[in-house]
Amino acid sequence: MNTELLPRDRRILCAVSGGADSMYLLCRLKELSYDVCAAHYNHGLRGAASDGDETFVRDYCEREHIPFRAGRGDVRAYAGENRMSIEEAARALRYAFLEQAAEEMGAAVIATAHNAGDNGETMLLNLARGTGLKGLCGIPPVRGRVVRPMLGVTHEQALQYLAEHDIPHVEDETNQEDGYARNRVRHRAVPALESVNPAFLRTAGQTTTLLRQDEELLTSLAEEFVARYGQGNTISAQALCSQPLPIASRAVRLMAGRELSYAHVQAILKTARDGGTADVPGLTVGREGDRLVFGIKPAAPITMRTVPIPGQMDIPEAGLTLFCTKITDCPSAVHKKFNIFFFNCENICGNIMVTARQPGDRLRPVGRGCTKELKQLFREAGIPSWKRQGVPVLRDEQGVIAVYGIGTSERAAARPGDKNIIKIEIVRL
């Protein structure tokens, strides 16, 4: 057992199911004179058998004068409410209880009885489902204040210790069922690998240790990169794309602050290269200039409104205000600012409306000599796709006459010498 993970001068909370491994852990810690307490979580999944396990652990701790806490919850209901598997829900509730129990009992760390077999099985499960280096590292020895000192101890060694010391334990009958993927790996895959190498679990443990060292190094390099090029929830897209994939992919996960699949990481890196947006679980990522933004909020589409001539009108979706006046003398320098527009009244067909962009919208800006779709003009102006629905578009009954930040159309534009002019200025609130 790896006692280096265990503080000698602080209390240790031992998570005890009543099974052989957790009873081994509890009794070994007590034998080694650690200040140990115990906690048991009743998942309520096996009816009377679950209650029997709780009673067994409680009674044992009372006999041995070990401080004890018990908790329970409705795992099936929690899984349904949160769209989780039973295993995921059980783990979430169990660890929440253990953290609470540690606080109440004054424990510095929470020790769990994950053993060498659990570690090898986890590596194989992750390999079967598809994983990167992190998934092949198996079960981490330390995560927060949870420590796993038994990753080098096999289930058989635990059983031998209990037999030698006449220590009782309970058996969970579901461990023999093949309905769970882990049990199928335990009953079929591991024995097959042990037929090739009887020391498979030991060598798997050595492999996960070596891979974990590599993972820690790559993660530290990614952390250094994020510290240098990241700012808040943004990071330099150009710098990210210049990194080797092992660093870039880890930087993306660090910026996202959550686990991401290979496909999600690739989608974000494509956004860094090409722009656009990437939707990943609970997060939308988009590029704005050279900054890759994690957690963008797409602009609210601007509702169509008729522009009062003359008058003032708020555009709250975009945080803008529009001012419209009529003038009789066109300035000599027109169409130089892309938030002020001058229109010849005679060139306007019907009312002027302010809207969001519409499919197929096109504009021939003054002085450009070409007609382009707004999508292309937005791209040329560096306006990211997730902001475009919040850009005011002015139109009349024939089409687009101006776009905020882009320019005025040749068809509707006023020219020096025109006398009947509509001036529209759009400013920030």
Side-chain angles (χ1 to χ4, degrees):
M1 188 163 65
N2 185 2
T3 57
E4 293 181 1
L5 302 178
L6 304 170
R8 177 51 79 175
D9 58 345
R10 299 288 301 278
R11 173 169 278 190
I12 299 167
L13 174 66
C14 183
V16 185
S17 67
D21 298 314
S22 65
M23 291 300 293
Y24 168 88
L25 177 61
L26 178 66
C27 295
R28 280 288 285 149
L29 293 179
K30 191 169 184 295
E31 180 185 45
L32 294 171
S33 300
Y34 283 97
D35 180 8
V36 65
C37 57
H40 174 90
Y41 189 75
N42 186 337
H43 300 96
L45 295 172
R46 297 161 41 241
S50 293
D51 295 338
D53 291 351
E54 178 182 337
T55 300
F56 167 80
V57 178
R58 184 188 303 276
D59 291 346
Y60 184 86
C61 289
E62 287 180 359
R63 288 197 305 273
E64 298 297 324
H65 307 290
I66 299 171
F68 175 76
R69 286 285 191 285
R72 65 173 58 212
D74 191 337
V75 173
R76 286 193 175 86
Y78 185 83
E81 292 167 2
N82 294 276
R83 298 183 179 181
M84 303 167 71
S85 71
I86 292 294
E87 292 168 287
E88 291 171 330
R91 185 182 188 281
L93 290 173
R94 181 171 64 253
Y95 276 97
F97 161 71
L98 291 173
E99 290 286 349
Q100 180 183 349
E103 288 291 335
E104 294 174 353
M105 303 178 80
V109 298
I110 301 166
T112 69
H114 293 93
N115 62 27
D118 298 320
N119 191 45
E121 291 157 14
T122 297
M123 180 178 68
L124 294 174
L125 281 167
N126 290 340
L127 179 62
R129 291 165 177 163
T131 187
L133 182 57
K134 185 176 181 180
L136 294 177
C137 293
I139 300 174
V142 179
R143 178 176 287 164
R145 63 172 162 182
V146 175
V147 298
R148 299 173 174 109
M150 284 181 57
L151 294 180
V153 178
T154 67
H155 181 66
E156 289 68 27
Q157 289 172 321
L159 287 172
Q160 182 179 350
Y161 174 87
L162 297 183
E164 290 173 353
H165 293 80
D166 196 25
I167 298 170
H169 69 280
V170 295
E171 293 287 351
D172 183 345
E173 67 277 5
T174 62
N175 287 336
Q176 304 306 315
E177 299 172 359
D178 280 352
Y180 295 108
R182 180 174 292 275
N183 286 356
R184 295 194 295 276
V185 170
R186 180 178 300 159
H187 299 154
R188 303 176 191 176
V190 171
L193 291 166
E194 287 178 329
S195 71
V196 177
N197 176 12
F200 164 70
L201 291 180
R202 179 175 60 81
T203 57
Q206 293 172 346
T207 299
T208 59
T209 297
L210 294 172
L211 294 178
R212 193 173 298 113
Q213 293 170 356
D214 293 344
E215 173 65 23
E216 289 171 356
L217 174 61
L218 291 169
T219 298
S220 69
L221 294 175
E223 289 171 343
E224 292 174 4
F225 172 79
V226 169
R228 181 176 180 182
Y229 292 99
Q231 184 175 357
N233 67 330
T234 75
I235 196 166
S236 168
Q238 182 178 2
L240 183 67
C241 293
S242 70
Q243 291 299 298
L245 182 59
I247 305 300
S249 62
R250 285 167 175 78
V252 163
R253 290 186 170 95
L254 288 171
M255 289 297 299
R258 65 201 66 201
E259 291 298 322
L260 297 174
S261 69
Y262 172 82
H264 290 143
V265 170
Q266 291 301 308
I268 293 174
L269 292 176
K270 184 177 186 301
T271 298
R273 291 192 304 270
D274 305 332
T277 60
D279 290 315
V280 301
L283 190 70
T284 300
V285 182
R287 179 170 170 173
E288 184 173 8
D290 181 51
R291 306 304 293 180
L292 193 63
V293 184
F294 289 76
I296 65 171
K297 296 181 179 179
I302 294 174
T303 302
M304 181 178 290
R305 299 176 177 86
T306 300
V307 175
I309 305 175
Q312 174 182 334
M313 181 179 69
D314 289 336
I315 312 173
E317 304 94 324
L320 300 168
T321 296
L322 180 151
F323 298 92
C324 180
T325 56
K326 295 192 73 173
I327 60 177
T328 57
D329 188 18
C330 186
S332 57
V334 295
H335 318 309
K336 299 294 185 181
K337 295 183 178 180
F338 298 146
N339 70 314
I340 303 175
F341 311 101
F342 298 90
F343 305 107
N344 187 327
C345 287
E346 296 178 0
N347 297 337
I348 300 297
C349 299
N351 293 324
I352 297 178
M353 283 82 69
V354 61
T355 72
R357 65 168 180 156
Q358 304 293 329
D361 275 348
R362 301 170 69 84
L363 178 70
R364 186 179 181 87
V366 171
R368 299 279 291 271
C370 60
T371 301
K372 295 184 177 181
E373 289 189 355
L374 293 196
K375 179 179 180 179
Q376 185 175 355
L377 291 170
F378 282 144
R379 185 166 58 246
E380 292 173 356
I383 301 172
S385 60
W386 45 277
K387 284 191 171 182
R388 294 172 188 174
Q389 285 297 98
V391 176
V393 175
L394 297 172
R395 66 177 75 242
D396 64 8
E397 294 179 3
Q398 284 194 359
V400 177
I401 59 173
V403 179
Y404 178 77
I406 301 294
T408 310
S409 78
E410 284 188 357
R411 171 177 68 83
R415 301 291 193 277
D418 291 346
K419 298 299 181 182
N420 191 11
I421 298 167
I422 296 172
K423 174 187 176 183
I424 293 180
E425 181 174 2
I426 301 176
V427 298
R428 288 281 166 198
L429 290 174

mmCIF file of all heavy atoms in Angstrom, residues 302-309 313 315 322 343 348-356 392-402 424 426:
data_model
loop_
_atom_site.group_PDB
_atom_site.id
_atom_site.type_symbol
_atom_site.label_atom_id
_atom_site.label_comp_id
_atom_site.label_asym_id
_atom_site.label_seq_id
_atom_site.Cartn_x
_atom_site.Cartn_y
_atom_site.Cartn_z
ATOM 1 N N ILE A 302 -31.934 41.221 -34.533
ATOM 2 C CA ILE A 302 -32.624 42.510 -34.453
ATOM 3 C C ILE A 302 -34.031 42.364 -35.027
ATOM 4 O O ILE A 302 -34.221 41.874 -36.144
ATOM 5 C CB ILE A 302 -31.835 43.584 -35.215
ATOM 6 C CG1 ILE A 302 -30.504 43.834 -34.508
ATOM 7 C CG2 ILE A 302 -32.642 44.880 -35.327
ATOM 8 C CD1 ILE A 302 -29.574 44.764 -35.245
ATOM 9 N N THR A 303 -35.026 42.782 -34.247
ATOM 10 C CA THR A 303 -36.416 42.755 -34.705
ATOM 11 C C THR A 303 -36.644 43.858 -35.731
ATOM 12 O O THR A 303 -36.141 44.975 -35.575
ATOM 13 C CB THR A 303 -37.370 42.951 -33.510
ATOM 14 O OG1 THR A 303 -37.121 41.924 -32.557
ATOM 15 C CG2 THR A 303 -38.822 42.904 -33.939
ATOM 16 N N MET A 304 -37.413 43.546 -36.770
ATOM 17 C CA MET A 304 -37.683 44.540 -37.810
ATOM 18 C C MET A 304 -38.475 45.711 -37.235
ATOM 19 O O MET A 304 -39.475 45.539 -36.553
ATOM 20 C CB MET A 304 -38.454 43.916 -38.973
ATOM 21 C CG MET A 304 -38.732 44.899 -40.104
ATOM 22 S SD MET A 304 -39.590 44.146 -41.513
ATOM 23 C CE MET A 304 -38.288 43.100 -42.158
ATOM 24 N N ARG A 305 -37.997 46.939 -37.506
ATOM 25 C CA ARG A 305 -38.668 48.157 -37.070
ATOM 26 C C ARG A 305 -38.649 49.172 -38.202
ATOM 27 O O ARG A 305 -37.674 49.241 -38.971
ATOM 28 C CB ARG A 305 -37.967 48.772 -35.849
ATOM 29 C CG ARG A 305 -37.928 47.879 -34.606
ATOM 30 C CD ARG A 305 -37.117 48.574 -33.514
ATOM 31 N NE ARG A 305 -37.077 47.829 -32.280
ATOM 32 C CZ ARG A 305 -36.204 46.879 -32.006
ATOM 33 N NH1 ARG A 305 -35.293 46.539 -32.909
ATOM 34 N NH2 ARG A 305 -36.238 46.246 -30.846
ATOM 35 N N THR A 306 -39.684 49.978 -38.288
ATOM 36 C CA THR A 306 -39.726 51.060 -39.275
ATOM 37 C C THR A 306 -39.041 52.283 -38.695
ATOM 38 O O THR A 306 -39.313 52.689 -37.560
ATOM 39 C CB THR A 306 -41.177 51.410 -39.647
ATOM 40 O OG1 THR A 306 -41.807 50.258 -40.198
ATOM 41 C CG2 THR A 306 -41.222 52.537 -40.671
ATOM 42 N N VAL A 307 -38.132 52.855 -39.457
ATOM 43 C CA VAL A 307 -37.369 54.017 -39.005
ATOM 44 C C VAL A 307 -38.251 55.262 -39.077
ATOM 45 O O VAL A 307 -38.827 55.553 -40.137
ATOM 46 C CB VAL A 307 -36.109 54.206 -39.860
ATOM 47 C CG1 VAL A 307 -35.381 55.492 -39.471
ATOM 48 C CG2 VAL A 307 -35.183 52.992 -39.731
ATOM 49 N N PRO A 308 -38.400 56.015 -37.978
ATOM 50 C CA PRO A 308 -39.173 57.268 -38.020
ATOM 51 C C PRO A 308 -38.377 58.361 -38.739
ATOM 52 O O PRO A 308 -37.188 58.543 -38.480
ATOM 53 C CB PRO A 308 -39.370 57.613 -36.546
ATOM 54 C CG PRO A 308 -38.199 56.987 -35.849
ATOM 55 C CD PRO A 308 -37.866 55.750 -36.633
ATOM 56 N N ILE A 309 -39.013 59.067 -39.651
ATOM 57 C CA ILE A 309 -38.339 60.114 -40.431
ATOM 58 C C ILE A 309 -39.092 61.428 -40.258
ATOM 59 O O ILE A 309 -40.188 61.591 -40.816
ATOM 60 C CB ILE A 309 -38.278 59.759 -41.927
ATOM 61 C CG1 ILE A 309 -37.611 58.394 -42.124
ATOM 62 C CG2 ILE A 309 -37.526 60.842 -42.707
ATOM 63 C CD1 ILE A 309 -37.626 57.912 -43.568
ATOM 64 N N MET A 313 -34.823 56.145 -32.417
ATOM 65 C CA MET A 313 -35.301 54.792 -32.159
ATOM 66 C C MET A 313 -34.182 53.969 -31.525
ATOM 67 O O MET A 313 -33.043 53.971 -32.012
ATOM 68 C CB MET A 313 -35.753 54.137 -33.468
ATOM 69 C CG MET A 313 -36.291 52.726 -33.324
ATOM 70 S SD MET A 313 -36.814 52.068 -34.921
ATOM 71 C CE MET A 313 -35.227 51.903 -35.737
ATOM 72 N N ILE A 315 -32.332 50.453 -30.549
ATOM 73 C CA ILE A 315 -32.173 49.076 -31.027
ATOM 74 C C ILE A 315 -31.565 48.307 -29.861
ATOM 75 O O ILE A 315 -30.346 48.063 -29.806
ATOM 76 C CB ILE A 315 -31.265 49.018 -32.272
ATOM 77 C CG1 ILE A 315 -31.682 50.048 -33.308
ATOM 78 C CG2 ILE A 315 -31.282 47.614 -32.888
ATOM 79 C CD1 ILE A 315 -30.734 50.168 -34.488
ATOM 80 N N LEU A 322 -30.659 54.792 -32.875
ATOM 81 C CA LEU A 322 -30.681 55.346 -34.231
ATOM 82 C C LEU A 322 -31.315 56.733 -34.194
ATOM 83 O O LEU A 322 -32.382 56.929 -33.599
ATOM 84 C CB LEU A 322 -31.466 54.412 -35.152
ATOM 85 C CG LEU A 322 -31.621 54.781 -36.624
ATOM 86 C CD1 LEU A 322 -31.752 53.517 -37.474
ATOM 87 C CD2 LEU A 322 -32.830 55.682 -36.882
ATOM 88 N N PHE A 343 -28.838 59.356 -47.459
ATOM 89 C CA PHE A 343 -29.629 58.789 -48.551
ATOM 90 C C PHE A 343 -30.351 59.905 -49.304
ATOM 91 O O PHE A 343 -30.857 60.853 -48.692
ATOM 92 C CB PHE A 343 -30.682 57.805 -48.013
ATOM 93 C CG PHE A 343 -30.118 56.706 -47.159
ATOM 94 C CD1 PHE A 343 -30.301 56.716 -45.786
ATOM 95 C CD2 PHE A 343 -29.402 55.664 -47.725
ATOM 96 C CE1 PHE A 343 -29.791 55.716 -44.991
ATOM 97 C CE2 PHE A 343 -28.882 54.655 -46.933
ATOM 98 C CZ PHE A 343 -29.075 54.671 -45.562
ATOM 99 N N ILE A 348 -35.148 56.277 -52.370
ATOM 100 C CA ILE A 348 -35.714 55.366 -51.377
ATOM 101 C C ILE A 348 -37.089 54.909 -51.826
ATOM 102 O O ILE A 348 -37.937 55.733 -52.219
ATOM 103 C CB ILE A 348 -35.805 56.043 -49.990
ATOM 104 C CG1 ILE A 348 -34.415 56.460 -49.506
ATOM 105 C CG2 ILE A 348 -36.478 55.113 -48.977
ATOM 106 C CD1 ILE A 348 -33.450 55.328 -49.297
ATOM 107 N N CYS A 349 -37.315 53.613 -51.770
ATOM 108 C CA CYS A 349 -38.607 53.045 -52.181
ATOM 109 C C CYS A 349 -39.401 52.649 -50.928
ATOM 110 O O CYS A 349 -39.049 51.671 -50.250
ATOM 111 C CB CYS A 349 -38.399 51.813 -53.068
ATOM 112 S SG CYS A 349 -37.511 52.178 -54.587
ATOM 113 N N GLY A 350 -40.436 53.418 -50.597
ATOM 114 C CA GLY A 350 -41.273 53.115 -49.441
ATOM 115 C C GLY A 350 -40.578 53.475 -48.141
ATOM 116 O O GLY A 350 -39.739 54.379 -48.074
ATOM 117 N N ASN A 351 -40.922 52.751 -47.081
ATOM 118 C CA ASN A 351 -40.352 53.002 -45.761
ATOM 119 C C ASN A 351 -38.929 52.465 -45.652
ATOM 120 O O ASN A 351 -38.522 51.567 -46.403
ATOM 121 C CB ASN A 351 -41.202 52.332 -44.678
ATOM 122 C CG ASN A 351 -42.567 52.965 -44.555
ATOM 123 O OD1 ASN A 351 -42.715 54.173 -44.706
ATOM 124 N ND2 ASN A 351 -43.576 52.145 -44.276
ATOM 125 N N ILE A 352 -38.198 53.036 -44.696
ATOM 126 C CA ILE A 352 -36.894 52.484 -44.335
ATOM 127 C C ILE A 352 -37.079 51.646 -43.074
ATOM 128 O O ILE A 352 -37.703 52.089 -42.101
ATOM 129 C CB ILE A 352 -35.863 53.600 -44.086
ATOM 130 C CG1 ILE A 352 -35.624 54.407 -45.361
ATOM 131 C CG2 ILE A 352 -34.539 52.996 -43.575
ATOM 132 C CD1 ILE A 352 -34.652 55.566 -45.180
ATOM 133 N N MET A 353 -36.569 50.432 -43.097
ATOM 134 C CA MET A 353 -36.648 49.533 -41.939
ATOM 135 C C MET A 353 -35.236 49.191 -41.459
ATOM 136 O O MET A 353 -34.299 49.196 -42.251
ATOM 137 C CB MET A 353 -37.370 48.235 -42.301
ATOM 138 C CG MET A 353 -38.879 48.353 -42.394
ATOM 139 S SD MET A 353 -39.426 49.018 -43.984
ATOM 140 C CE MET A 353 -39.033 47.680 -45.091
ATOM 141 N N VAL A 354 -35.137 48.922 -40.170
ATOM 142 C CA VAL A 354 -33.903 48.357 -39.627
ATOM 143 C C VAL A 354 -34.201 46.912 -39.253
ATOM 144 O O VAL A 354 -35.224 46.612 -38.636
ATOM 145 C CB VAL A 354 -33.382 49.166 -38.413
ATOM 146 C CG1 VAL A 354 -34.374 49.174 -37.265
ATOM 147 C CG2 VAL A 354 -32.034 48.605 -37.933
ATOM 148 N N THR A 355 -33.315 45.993 -39.664
ATOM 149 C CA THR A 355 -33.541 44.563 -39.456
ATOM 150 C C THR A 355 -32.202 43.874 -39.193
ATOM 151 O O THR A 355 -31.137 44.488 -39.269
ATOM 152 C CB THR A 355 -34.182 43.913 -40.694
ATOM 153 O OG1 THR A 355 -33.201 43.831 -41.744
ATOM 154 C CG2 THR A 355 -35.387 44.693 -41.198
ATOM 155 N N ALA A 356 -32.295 42.585 -38.918
ATOM 156 C CA ALA A 356 -31.108 41.731 -38.975
ATOM 157 C C ALA A 356 -30.889 41.341 -40.433
ATOM 158 O O ALA A 356 -31.749 41.577 -41.293
ATOM 159 C CB ALA A 356 -31.301 40.488 -38.106
ATOM 160 N N PRO A 392 -27.083 45.952 -37.338
ATOM 161 C CA PRO A 392 -28.246 46.573 -37.985
ATOM 162 C C PRO A 392 -28.077 46.670 -39.500
ATOM 163 O O PRO A 392 -27.032 47.095 -40.012
ATOM 164 C CB PRO A 392 -28.295 47.966 -37.365
ATOM 165 C CG PRO A 392 -27.532 47.847 -36.071
ATOM 166 C CD PRO A 392 -26.456 46.837 -36.351
ATOM 167 N N VAL A 393 -29.122 46.246 -40.198
ATOM 168 C CA VAL A 393 -29.196 46.359 -41.655
ATOM 169 C C VAL A 393 -30.358 47.295 -41.982
ATOM 170 O O VAL A 393 -31.485 47.080 -41.518
ATOM 171 C CB VAL A 393 -29.430 44.988 -42.309
ATOM 172 C CG1 VAL A 393 -29.629 45.139 -43.821
ATOM 173 C CG2 VAL A 393 -28.253 44.051 -42.015
ATOM 174 N N LEU A 394 -30.095 48.349 -42.759
ATOM 175 C CA LEU A 394 -31.140 49.262 -43.205
ATOM 176 C C LEU A 394 -31.591 48.837 -44.592
ATOM 177 O O LEU A 394 -30.760 48.549 -45.470
ATOM 178 C CB LEU A 394 -30.621 50.702 -43.233
ATOM 179 C CG LEU A 394 -30.195 51.288 -41.879
ATOM 180 C CD1 LEU A 394 -29.520 52.643 -42.070
ATOM 181 C CD2 LEU A 394 -31.392 51.422 -40.957
ATOM 182 N N ARG A 395 -32.900 48.781 -44.790
ATOM 183 C CA ARG A 395 -33.429 48.369 -46.089
ATOM 184 C C ARG A 395 -34.696 49.139 -46.393
ATOM 185 O O ARG A 395 -35.384 49.640 -45.501
ATOM 186 C CB ARG A 395 -33.685 46.864 -46.113
ATOM 187 C CG ARG A 395 -34.780 46.392 -45.188
ATOM 188 C CD ARG A 395 -35.032 44.880 -45.312
ATOM 189 N NE ARG A 395 -33.992 44.108 -44.661
ATOM 190 C CZ ARG A 395 -33.191 43.254 -45.281
ATOM 191 N NH1 ARG A 395 -33.309 43.062 -46.588
ATOM 192 N NH2 ARG A 395 -32.289 42.576 -44.624
ATOM 193 N N ASP A 396 -35.000 49.223 -47.705
ATOM 194 C CA ASP A 396 -36.293 49.732 -48.138
ATOM 195 C C ASP A 396 -37.007 48.600 -48.868
ATOM 196 O O ASP A 396 -36.624 47.436 -48.741
ATOM 197 C CB ASP A 396 -36.145 50.997 -48.994
ATOM 198 C CG ASP A 396 -35.399 50.756 -50.303
ATOM 199 O OD1 ASP A 396 -35.123 49.572 -50.645
ATOM 200 O OD2 ASP A 396 -35.082 51.721 -51.011
ATOM 201 N N GLU A 397 -38.039 48.921 -49.606
ATOM 202 C CA GLU A 397 -38.838 47.871 -50.249
ATOM 203 C C GLU A 397 -38.100 47.164 -51.378
ATOM 204 O O GLU A 397 -38.533 46.096 -51.831
ATOM 205 C CB GLU A 397 -40.151 48.459 -50.756
ATOM 206 C CG GLU A 397 -41.059 48.930 -49.619
ATOM 207 C CD GLU A 397 -42.356 49.543 -50.121
ATOM 208 O OE1 GLU A 397 -42.565 49.545 -51.350
ATOM 209 O OE2 GLU A 397 -43.136 50.016 -49.284
ATOM 210 N N GLN A 398 -36.982 47.720 -51.837
ATOM 211 C CA GLN A 398 -36.214 47.070 -52.910
ATOM 212 C C GLN A 398 -35.019 46.268 -52.398
ATOM 213 O O GLN A 398 -34.452 45.485 -53.145
ATOM 214 C CB GLN A 398 -35.724 48.113 -53.922
ATOM 215 C CG GLN A 398 -36.815 48.614 -54.848
ATOM 216 C CD GLN A 398 -36.237 49.374 -56.033
ATOM 217 O OE1 GLN A 398 -35.020 49.540 -56.162
ATOM 218 N NE2 GLN A 398 -37.110 49.836 -56.900
ATOM 219 N N GLY A 399 -34.660 46.496 -51.148
ATOM 220 C CA GLY A 399 -33.528 45.729 -50.628
ATOM 221 C C GLY A 399 -32.665 46.524 -49.684
ATOM 222 O O GLY A 399 -33.063 47.573 -49.147
ATOM 223 N N VAL A 400 -31.434 46.053 -49.483
ATOM 224 C CA VAL A 400 -30.511 46.644 -48.512
ATOM 225 C C VAL A 400 -30.013 47.990 -49.033
ATOM 226 O O VAL A 400 -29.587 48.109 -50.182
ATOM 227 C CB VAL A 400 -29.325 45.701 -48.250
ATOM 228 C CG1 VAL A 400 -28.317 46.353 -47.303
ATOM 229 C CG2 VAL A 400 -29.808 44.375 -47.681
ATOM 230 N N ILE A 401 -30.053 49.008 -48.137
ATOM 231 C CA ILE A 401 -29.536 50.329 -48.514
ATOM 232 C C ILE A 401 -28.311 50.722 -47.674
ATOM 233 O O ILE A 401 -27.579 51.636 -48.055
ATOM 234 C CB ILE A 401 -30.618 51.418 -48.417
ATOM 235 C CG1 ILE A 401 -31.177 51.503 -46.984
ATOM 236 C CG2 ILE A 401 -31.737 51.168 -49.422
ATOM 237 C CD1 ILE A 401 -32.135 52.681 -46.772
ATOM 238 N N ALA A 402 -28.064 50.041 -46.569
ATOM 239 C CA ALA A 402 -26.866 50.306 -45.765
ATOM 240 C C ALA A 402 -26.729 49.226 -44.706
ATOM 241 O O ALA A 402 -27.714 48.610 -44.297
ATOM 242 C CB ALA A 402 -26.936 51.679 -45.097
ATOM 243 N N ILE A 424 -29.061 59.199 -41.371
ATOM 244 C CA ILE A 424 -29.262 58.258 -40.260
ATOM 245 C C ILE A 424 -27.918 58.011 -39.591
ATOM 246 O O ILE A 424 -26.941 57.644 -40.253
ATOM 247 C CB ILE A 424 -29.866 56.936 -40.757
ATOM 248 C CG1 ILE A 424 -31.304 57.170 -41.271
ATOM 249 C CG2 ILE A 424 -29.861 55.891 -39.639
ATOM 250 C CD1 ILE A 424 -31.976 55.931 -41.786
ATOM 251 N N ILE A 426 -26.187 55.921 -36.284
ATOM 252 C CA ILE A 426 -26.386 54.862 -35.281
ATOM 253 C C ILE A 426 -25.236 54.910 -34.300
ATOM 254 O O ILE A 426 -24.059 54.830 -34.695
ATOM 255 C CB ILE A 426 -26.462 53.472 -35.963
ATOM 256 C CG1 ILE A 426 -27.611 53.442 -36.979
ATOM 257 C CG2 ILE A 426 -26.650 52.378 -34.916
ATOM 258 C CD1 ILE A 426 -27.702 52.157 -37.763
#
